[in-house]
Amino acid sequence: MLDALLANNREWALKKTQVDPEFFKRLVRQQTPEYFWIGCADSRVPANEIVNLDPGEMFVHRNVANLAPQQDANYLSTLQYAVHVLKVKHVLVVGHYGCGGVRTAVESQDHGLIDHWLAPIREVAHEHREELEACPSETVKLDRLCELNVIAQVRNVATNPITVAAWRSGQDLTIHGWVYSIADGLVTDQGVSVSGLPDRMRIFGI
Ligand code: CO
């Protein structure tokens, strides 16, 4: 059943080696990515492909609705490894318009376990309820909530003790908030890049 995928894999590895015979040999020795991507698990938002990066160039964590919850061991482990061991220079929190997780979070019906995971998005929606209620359509409202969610997750990363420890030790580290559009393949920077504690105070007041 998976013959096609395995054939694709052989072809891909061959092409990589034809272009650059040392490609895999170099990767075996080490990974030195400068970027850490926190994105949605949605199949339409493939991290490396969107920014045209090769294996070895970006460390990636993906979950439903690109959350960075302060007590999630999976996210915290990847953040710690990315920041303290790999010493990435940029953390990219990347949401996307039309996110099913964001839509599900604010639907009134019961979805079971996923409602627990998505609780932080309902909090963001509640915090910004006046702005969201003023949106001219449901689509505009959900798109804005995708942006607000990314901004909230940038704040989470920027207030995380792992990030703060890196800044205090003088490490060069910037957290960015991006939203990707499935409709045209383009990323929009949300203008909330945080490079240290003064930036964090200016942008988030914390
Ligand atoms: Co999504």
Side-chain angles (χ1 to χ4, degrees):
M1 298 245 327
L2 297 179
D3 287 353
L5 293 191
L6 291 170
N8 286 352
N9 165 253
R10 294 298 183 272
E11 197 184 326
W12 173 79
L14 181 65
K15 269 188 195 156
K16 281 281 177 206
T17 319
Q18 278 169 346
V19 173
D20 177 0
E22 299 297 309
F23 184 75
F24 292 107
K25 285 178 197 157
R26 260 199 324 276
L27 285 182
V28 168
R29 285 197 293 274
Q30 61 169 339
Q31 61 164 340
T32 52
E34 289 194 5
Y35 312 97
F36 176 38
W37 173 285
I38 301 172
C40 185
D42 193 305
S43 66
R44 298 165 297 178
V45 194
N48 283 57
E49 215 168 318
I50 287 171
V51 286
N52 199 21
L53 289 181
D54 264 327
E57 294 188 305
M58 190 156 69
F59 196 60
V60 174
H61 175 78
R62 291 170 69 180
N63 60 40
V64 174
N66 43 271
L67 298 183
Q70 301 286 22
Q71 286 150 344
D72 176 54
N74 187 358
Y75 150 68
L76 289 172
S77 304
T78 50
L79 180 70
Q80 184 182 44
Y81 193 74
V83 170
H84 289 178
V85 181
L86 296 172
K87 298 199 188 302
V88 297
K89 292 189 165 53
H90 302 276
V91 178
L92 312 168
V93 178
V94 188
H96 66 101
Y97 296 118
C99 182
V102 169
R103 190 186 61 240
T104 303
V106 290
E107 277 175 356
S108 51
Q109 72 197 88
D110 184 354
H111 307 91
L113 179 62
I114 193 74
D115 286 332
H116 295 266
W117 174 255
L118 297 173
I121 300 177
R122 284 195 295 281
E123 280 173 32
V124 171
H126 183 71
E127 259 173 62
H128 297 271
R129 59 193 177 281
E130 282 176 21
E131 182 190 345
L132 292 169
E133 275 159 21
C135 288
S137 73
E138 191 65 11
T139 309
V140 173
K141 181 177 147 182
L142 288 174
D143 282 352
R144 181 59 184 148
L145 185 53
C146 289
E147 296 174 352
L148 292 169
N149 177 42
V150 161
I151 295 165
Q153 305 315 313
V154 168
R155 184 184 188 276
N156 277 356
V157 178
T159 52
N160 192 289
I162 293 164
T163 306
V164 174
W167 281 334
R168 290 211 165 116
S169 71
Q171 205 174 315
D172 176 14
L173 178 68
T174 307
I175 327 298
H176 309 264
W178 286 3
V179 180
Y180 173 75
S181 168
I182 289 168
D184 59 14
L186 300 177
V187 163
T188 313
D189 188 301
Q190 297 302 301
V192 290
S193 296
V194 188
S195 300
L197 297 172
D199 266 355
R200 196 181 79 182
M201 182 55 80
R202 182 174 54 81
I203 294 168
F204 293 107
I206 186 172

